Amino acid sequence: MESLVLIGIWVTIGLTGLGLLTMVVFGLRNVVAGKVKPLSIAFIALPFVLMGALGLAMGDWTKAAIFTLFIVVILALVAIVLSSVRSLFS
């Protein structure tokens, strides 16, 4: 019975990895085809780049993840406020 749990875990990890690989491949295909704006790619990549930079700089990946979460939430709130103010005046 314990081996079934281990097999299930590895199958789940494999399917998750396959799904992520598929998303990356089709995302790159859309970038090459010009269907995606570079700015939207930068916004999607920002948390990953921030997490990597903070993790390497701090040496503690748990604290880096928490700081990344706080920074991304603050940036999202600022973007919402700026968007609201811009639509208020236009």
Side-chain angles (χ1 to χ4, degrees), residues 1 3 5 9 11 16-17 24 31 39 43 50 55 60 62 65 70 80:
M1 188 63 147
S3 63
V5 173
I9 290 172
V11 167
T16 303
V24 168
V31 168
L39 187 60
F43 284 137
L50 189 60
D60 186 4
T62 307
F70 287 149
I80 290 170

Side-chain angles (χ1 to χ4, degrees), residues 66-80:
I66 293 170
F67 277 109
T68 301
L69 175 71
F70 287 149
I71 292 170
V72 169
V73 167
I74 289 169
L75 288 175
L77 289 174
V78 168
I80 290 170

Side-chain angles (χ1 to χ4, degrees), residues 1-8:
M1 188 63 147
E2 292 177 15
S3 63
L4 284 177
V5 173
L6 186 61
I7 291 172

